[in-house]
Amino acid sequence: MHVPDGFINAPVSVAAGAVAAVAVAVSLRGARRELAGAGQGVGAGAERTAPLAGLVAAFIFAVQMLNFPVAAGTSGHLLGGALAAILVGPYTGVLCVSVVLLMQGVLFADGGLTALGVNITDMAIVTTVVAYAVFRLLVKVLPRRRSSVTVASFVAALVSVPAAAIAFTGVYALGGTAEVPIGKVFAAMVGVHVVIGIGEAVITALTVGAVIAVRPDLVYGARGLAKPLELRTSPLAPEGAGTPVPAAAAATTAAPRRSVRRVWLAGVAAALVCAGGLSYYASASPDGLEKVAHDQGIDAKTEEHATKDSPLADYSVKDITDPRLAGGLAGVIGVGATLAVGTGVFVVVRRRKNAVPGNEATPGNEATPGKGAVPAAERTGSV
């Protein structure tokens, strides 16, 4: 789905860039609230959420290298909007995918630089917004259990991919540089991306399910599914003492914090294995957009990438002749760079949240109640 330079004319590219810039600015504000509140249900420590969000970006980068075959001569890969939104929240999810797209465009010549606004709008904003809307709707109607989160993740991811294909078709209708009937573009794009969406859904559901199995408190989309714990006094207690009260209200200290180090290390290891090893076995067939562009003539005016001579262009390392080593090393570098940039962005966002006057961190309570934080006494009763 990475749109190269030359597919979309300059005016529409600029307009898409403006939309992307506004969406990223809004997401920065929303991500401050999401990062401040993440993991507080069991005392995970909001200050540790920035590395986890950076990890999500790095993992998406790695899994996007694993193209899987979907039809004769066509492959697909994860877009990641649904996965990011469900794991770390919709605003943070937009930023995660945007960081991935930026790193891919600058370092690996994947996705045009003049088309960066189009790609962020299509792959980061549309997929995240559509997926999270579908996810929240399903979570409300499905039984309140963890398995429902996995099912909702599958459906949300499945819907998000053809939604992105439809969005691209709309953008192409406004600013396409080749004379191709828009009906043919729509049919071809949606048709192949419905199939790709199945792969996206499987990857998303498996990843979300795996995290929920070990640390459900770290899954943004799983918050609030469990009923608050209650403390009940003995029936033999004085009159009025048997009334159930929230466990949070009776708590006098914050719940002990659970380390996220193991989850972080496992996630980094998985990303490195995917990008540094499994990517060698990925399908070499063109992805959905490339295939449609070639078959329909959309690529007639494709321009060379501005960083085509980058040492890491095409996910390989220049001057290394062994393709397995060159591709694996490029993948490892990409994971490291995305992890570093993503974590840095979210650390800055998180610190700016804490820097707001009257919202400073205090022992047992990362920020003042009423400004995005949850008092420690209210955190002990959640799951």
Side-chain angles (χ1 to χ4, degrees):
M1 190 73 73
H2 294 76
V3 178
D5 295 321
F7 271 32
I8 307 298
N9 63 30
V12 174
S13 294
V14 171
V19 171
V22 171
V24 168
V26 172
S27 296
L28 285 170
R29 294 180 62 87
R32 292 170 195 163
R33 296 190 296 271
E34 292 173 348
L35 294 172
Q40 290 183 359
V42 289
E47 72 279 2
R48 305 180 186 184
T49 57
L52 289 176
L55 172 61
V56 170
F59 184 77
I60 290 173
F61 171 89
V63 179
Q64 281 196 4
M65 293 183 66
L66 305 182
N67 281 49
F68 48 86
V70 296
T74 309
S75 69
H77 62 72
L78 181 80
L79 297 185
L83 178 61
I86 295 165
L87 288 180
V88 293
Y91 294 108
T92 309
V94 168
L95 298 180
C96 283
V97 181
S98 297
V99 167
V100 172
L101 294 171
L102 177 63
M103 302 306 294
Q104 290 170 333
V106 172
L107 295 181
F108 299 95
D110 187 12
L113 295 184
T114 62
L116 183 60
V118 174
N119 284 322
I120 289 177
T121 300
D122 195 30
M123 295 179 64
I125 301 170
V126 172
T127 59
T128 302
V129 171
V130 171
Y132 197 71
V134 173
F135 175 82
R136 294 311 308 176
L137 176 63
L138 291 175
V139 165
K140 288 182 179 180
V141 300
L142 291 173
R144 296 171 63 86
R145 56 174 67 105
R146 293 175 184 173
S147 60
S148 297
V149 177
T150 304
V151 172
S153 300
F154 183 95
V155 177
L158 177 63
V159 173
S160 70
V161 177
I166 293 172
F168 169 79
T169 305
V171 171
Y172 194 82
L174 295 174
T177 56
E179 296 295 332
V180 180
I182 198 63
K184 294 178 64 176
V185 176
F186 177 85
M189 284 294 293
V190 175
V192 70
H193 284 91
V194 166
V195 182
I196 293 174
I198 297 174
E200 176 103 8
V202 170
I203 295 171
T204 301
L206 288 176
T207 304
V208 172
V211 178
I212 285 181
V214 294
R215 288 294 298 272
D217 57 292
L218 298 180
V219 179
Y220 183 91
R223 294 183 189 177
L225 292 184
K227 294 180 179 180
L229 300 176
E230 292 183 342
L231 294 180
R232 293 179 178 271
T233 57
S234 169
L236 301 179
E239 183 178 356
T243 303
V245 296
T252 56
T253 59
R257 292 183 176 181
R258 298 174 62 187
S259 174
V260 298
R261 180 178 301 175
R262 291 184 179 181
V263 175
W264 189 87
L265 290 175
V268 171
L272 291 174
V273 168
C274 290
L278 297 180
S279 60
Y280 179 77
Y281 302 99
S283 173
S285 299
D287 66 20
L289 177 58
E290 291 174 325
K291 180 65 173 176
V292 171
H294 177 73
D295 292 346
Q296 304 299 329
I298 296 175
D299 58 356
K301 296 185 179 181
T302 302
E303 300 174 0
E304 287 191 340
H305 200 284
T307 62
K308 63 182 180 63
D309 295 325
S310 165
L312 299 174
D314 297 324
Y315 298 94
S316 184
V317 178
K318 190 176 182 179
D319 297 330
I320 295 182
T321 56
D322 186 326
R324 183 191 296 267
L325 178 60
L329 183 57
V332 170
I333 293 173
V335 168
T338 305
L339 182 64
V341 172
T343 301
V345 168
F346 295 120
V347 165
V348 171
V349 170
R350 174 69 186 125
R351 286 179 177 174
R352 289 191 64 182
K353 176 66 178 178
N354 280 341
V356 175
N359 200 38
E360 295 80 5
T362 57
N365 181 26
E366 284 73 12
T368 302
K371 295 189 178 181
V374 181
E378 294 182 11
R379 296 200 302 264
T380 57
S382 57
V383 176

